[in-house]
Amino acid sequence: MIDLANPVVVAAGCGGTGRELDALGALDGIGAFTTRSLTLNARTGGPVPRFAETPSGLVHSTGLPGPGLEIFLATELPWLVARGMRVVVSVTGASVAEHAEVARRLAQAPGVRGIEVDLAVPDARAHGLLDVREPFHAANVVAAVVREAQDLPVLAKVRSDVLRVAESARVVTDAGAVAVVVGGPQAAALPDGRPAGLSGPAVLPLALRCVTEVRAALPGVPVVGCGGITTTADARSFLDAGAVAVQVGAALLHDPTTAARIAADLAGGPS
Amino acid sequence: MAAPRARRDRVAGDAGVKSPFHTTGEVLASKRVGAFQHLTVVAPGVAERFRPGTFVAVSVDGTRLARRALWIHGVRPVGGHGPALQLVVEPVGPGTRWLAERPVGTRLEVTGPLGRAFALPKEPVATLLVGEGYAAAPLFPLAERLRERGCQVNLLLAAPDERRLLSALEARRSARAATVVTADGSVGRRGSVADVVAGVLAQSAAEVVYAAGPVPTLHAVAAAAEQAGAWSQTAVEQPLACGTGLCHGCPLPVVGEDGVARVVRACTEGPVVRGDRVRWAELAGARPAHGEPA
Ligand SMILES: Cc1cc2nc3c(=O)[nH]c(=O)nc-3n(C[C@H](O)[C@H](O)[C@H](O)COP(=O)(O)OP(=O)(O)OC[C@H]3O[C@@H](n4cnc5c(N)ncnc54)[C@H](O)[C@@H]3O)c2cc1C
Ligand SMILES: Cc1cc2nc3c(=O)[nH]c(=O)nc-3n(C[C@H](O)[C@H](O)[C@H](O)COP(=O)(O)O)c2cc1C
Ligand code: FES
């Protein structure tokens, strides 16, 4: 997979451009930085309100705003690389062809360490993105990305549906993904009924269960655990369940230093 | 989520550093004035970096993930603690009520100062500062900086009623001219900013207008400034989830320097933006479609 100096990774869409965390000293010691899910062309994102609070959770539907791949490659990526970050670029799109085109261009971009295919967008259809519901759809997308990615490792972030997560993980690794990211947002709705994702501590037990399901079914597949991690103890639960790394997402919105703190704790050795 | 923990704080107070700071602060004082709770919070490293127009993001109530944004009303040295933040809270919902009820000694997770500050004029020109409700908070330290530069300061303060009028007394002391309007007429003239801003602007002959308040108020001020040929800076409040630029939850539709329509993050590319750059009609309710250029 990707060689990480520390198992703590910034989750997609929760770390801004990287500069905002760095200004707070909050990238120090981080294993890798995952970008927000990028599309070929720029997107303004969805309507407001884009989030709602729920006890121990955040319901969100940003509509994946982003600068488009070219501007990302010209402005955001060089800074991250110069900063010494291991960069994993998350990708999404409206079609299999768009995913493939983005992967083709990323394969030429200096400094990218890996591609993470976001197959877990909980509000994809509402935002005009490919709705990857069935495992065989996911396999198609992953195969197309792997074909274009050349030597770049491809990770697949699968839907965190406890009953089907092991099957999803199997088909995407059969399609060429070197690892799976397990435990993204749960499909949810904003108070006005618009489709959205639910993240934060509320989803941790579900994410942990997803990790154990995949580990049991596919002991040879590296799993990156993600979902509701806010403390070092949370991260250890995922690592103890067999995850090779963990991603920290929504907790950064609450305390931007969370990932750096957990990374430092883990680097300090077992306790 | 708010459990005390060891943190590798960077050295506080390195002068000139503009980047924000994340730290555990402490409520030193809490005082009710009208409808507002005035908090004094010591937050080492944050106060030193303050410029008028910036804000802090604070964590509230254990299980709440989103942060609450508060303008920095001022920075005041407190014996034995160094510079402390002055904050003004209007309790309107669970988070702001929680903050307003905190006893002295409560520890608070604070990140700041965040966002773009008010830009100061290079020349000593006449200025008009327009503030409504608690949002007038950043205008008081701004008035001080402007006077230091030899700028003439005129104030227009507005509120629904007297209880939500911020420091009218202090305003009268610190400005050359202060106009007060309230919706119910309980103090000053009865009316709204939109009713009086053009007249006040003409009287003050201000070349630069600063405004902080609800979106319709900012829109009225920006329009009046444009009409009068004045330059305006508006401090825009949008619902924020993080306040630190991480989540893209706070879209602000603007027109860039290059004339191209964009959506930026209110917390990071704002909150202070040029009034003639904001696409006010879209901010007021119309929803931008997905797919157009960011
Ligand atoms: C830059 C900025 C500066 C501000 N300064 C002050 C200040 O000095 N004093 C003060 O009393 N209030 C200020 N506000 C508004 C204040 O942040 C909100 O009233 C507060 O977040 C509401 O939280 P709540 O839990 O009490 O209410 P709720 O309405 O229940 O809030 C629920 C959620 O919506 C968000 N939210 C709701 N309304 C707003 C809003 N107007 N702005 C931002 N987020 C919102 C909250 O963060 C929270 O996630 C400021 C807002 C911004 C953007
Ligand atoms: C505001 C927000 C934006 C997100 N954007 C993305 C994204 O662009 N791509 C993606 O794969 N996941 C995205 N996610 C999901 C997170 O990466 C993560 O998988 C999920 O939130 C669960 O982990 P957490 O509870 O630690 O946040 C987003 C989450 C949030 C809260
Ligand atoms: S509130 Fe999160 S980016 Fe502005």
Side-chain angles (χ1 to χ4, degrees):
Chain A
M1 212 187 68
I2 302 161
D3 151 55
L4 297 179
N6 187 291
V8 180
V9 174
V10 173
C14 298
T17 64
R19 285 184 169 91
E20 301 81 5
L21 288 175
D22 196 44
L24 291 159
L27 282 182
D28 298 356
I30 297 290
F33 181 88
T34 315
T35 68
R36 58 199 183 292
S37 294
L38 293 166
T39 47
L40 194 54
N41 297 313
R43 296 172 54 86
T44 48
V48 292
R50 289 181 171 179
F51 65 90
E53 240 182 359
T54 189
S56 297
L58 193 74
V59 187
H60 52 93
S61 178
T62 60
L64 299 178
L69 192 66
E70 288 309 314
I71 292 183
F72 167 78
L73 292 177
T75 60
E76 296 181 23
L77 179 66
W79 182 87
L80 286 162
V81 173
R83 168 67 180 73
M85 283 314 296
R86 287 178 172 76
V87 182
V88 175
V89 178
S90 173
V91 305
T92 183
S95 64
V96 176
E98 182 180 348
H99 283 87
E101 178 61 16
V102 171
R104 191 181 65 77
R105 298 198 197 182
L106 284 173
Q108 323 290 324
V112 176
R113 294 297 187 96
I115 297 177
E116 181 176 296
V117 191
D118 183 6
L119 304 166
V121 186
D123 47 0
R125 210 176 294 173
H127 295 299
L129 296 166
L130 190 65
D131 194 0
V132 193
R133 291 209 173 187
E134 293 301 322
F136 75 90
H137 290 142
N140 279 343
V141 176
V142 170
V145 169
V146 168
R147 224 172 7 253
E148 299 294 342
Q150 300 181 22
D151 299 334
L152 275 183
V154 173
L155 293 82
K157 183 173 185 176
V158 294
R159 293 170 80 90
S160 45
D161 172 344
V162 173
L163 299 178
R164 301 191 74 180
V165 68
E167 182 194 358
S168 299
R170 185 178 50 74
V171 298
V172 295
T173 47
D174 286 350
V178 299
V180 285
V181 181
V182 170
Q186 290 291 327
L190 285 163
D192 62 11
R194 283 178 293 142
L198 171 65
S199 299
V203 307
L204 185 145
L206 293 162
L208 192 56
R209 174 68 183 270
C210 287
V211 170
T212 60
E213 292 286 327
V214 175
R215 291 294 300 155
L218 305 161
V221 171
V223 172
V224 178
C226 176
I229 296 174
T230 64
T231 65
T232 304
D234 295 341
R236 286 217 169 91
S237 301
F238 281 88
L239 297 172
D240 292 347
V244 294
V246 291
Q247 294 185 347
V248 178
L252 295 168
L253 314 187
H254 179 78
D255 175 349
T257 64
T258 307
R261 215 167 359 89
I262 296 175
D265 282 353
L266 293 178
S271 63
Chain B
M1 272 180 285
R5 60 180 73 113
R7 198 199 313 281
R8 297 171 309 137
D9 276 346
R10 286 175 298 163
V11 182
D14 22 349
V17 177
K18 284 189 197 140
S19 62
F21 207 74
H22 182 85
T23 191
T24 305
E26 188 186 329
V27 178
L28 293 184
S30 182
K31 188 174 78 177
R32 189 79 175 190
V33 182
F36 301 143
Q37 198 75 23
H38 288 242
L39 301 183
T40 303
V41 175
V42 62
V46 178
E48 291 84 342
R49 292 166 164 81
F50 161 69
R51 290 190 301 152
T54 56
F55 67 96
V56 288
V58 298
S59 304
V60 296
D61 192 15
T63 64
R64 291 184 183 273
L65 237 140
R67 305 195 85 200
R68 300 310 192 265
L70 299 171
W71 297 112
I72 303 174
H73 184 32
V75 167
R76 190 164 60 87
V78 174
H81 291 284
L85 301 169
Q86 311 290 311
L87 308 173
V88 181
V89 179
E90 178 174 8
V92 294
T96 42
R97 270 200 299 273
W98 184 90
L99 281 167
E101 289 162 3
R102 280 321 88 196
V104 167
T106 302
R107 287 159 96 56
L108 278 186
E109 299 286 299
V110 181
T111 312
L114 295 165
R116 296 218 172 137
F118 288 115
L120 300 174
K122 292 192 180 70
E123 309 288 323
V125 297
T127 62
L128 172 65
L129 281 52
V130 184
E132 183 164 331
Y134 65 76
L139 300 181
F140 291 80
L142 174 67
E144 263 173 55
R145 303 269 167 120
L146 289 170
R147 268 198 314 276
E148 281 164 19
R149 296 179 160 236
C151 295
Q152 194 190 87
V153 176
N154 301 275
L155 259 170
L156 169 56
L157 278 186
D161 53 42
E162 185 172 13
R163 296 177 59 250
R164 282 175 282 180
L165 184 71
L166 188 65
S167 317
L169 260 181
E170 191 190 325
R172 291 225 157 75
R173 274 203 302 270
S174 67
R176 172 176 163 273
T179 310
V180 171
V181 290
T182 50
D184 68 351
S186 54
V187 52
R189 284 151 74 177
R190 180 193 297 272
S192 70
V193 167
D195 297 337
V196 302
V197 64
V200 174
L201 186 51
Q203 217 163 38
S204 66
E207 289 175 51
V208 182
V209 183
Y210 298 94
V215 164
T217 299
L218 300 181
H219 189 181
V221 173
E226 199 156 356
Q227 196 106 63
W231 189 70
S232 70
Q233 293 248 302
T234 53
V236 186
E237 289 183 20
Q238 279 291 86
L240 306 181
C242 71
T244 44
L246 303 178
C247 76
H248 292 270
C250 58
L252 177 62
V254 297
V255 177
E257 303 270 342
D258 51 7
V260 177
R262 288 197 175 75
V263 177
V264 298
R265 295 166 294 184
C267 69
T268 304
E269 282 78 30
V272 177
V273 283
R274 273 174 54 174
D276 60 345
R277 293 269 176 236
V278 179
R279 291 185 275 149
W280 294 106
E282 275 182 49
L283 196 55
R287 297 177 155 188
H290 64 76
E292 44 169 292

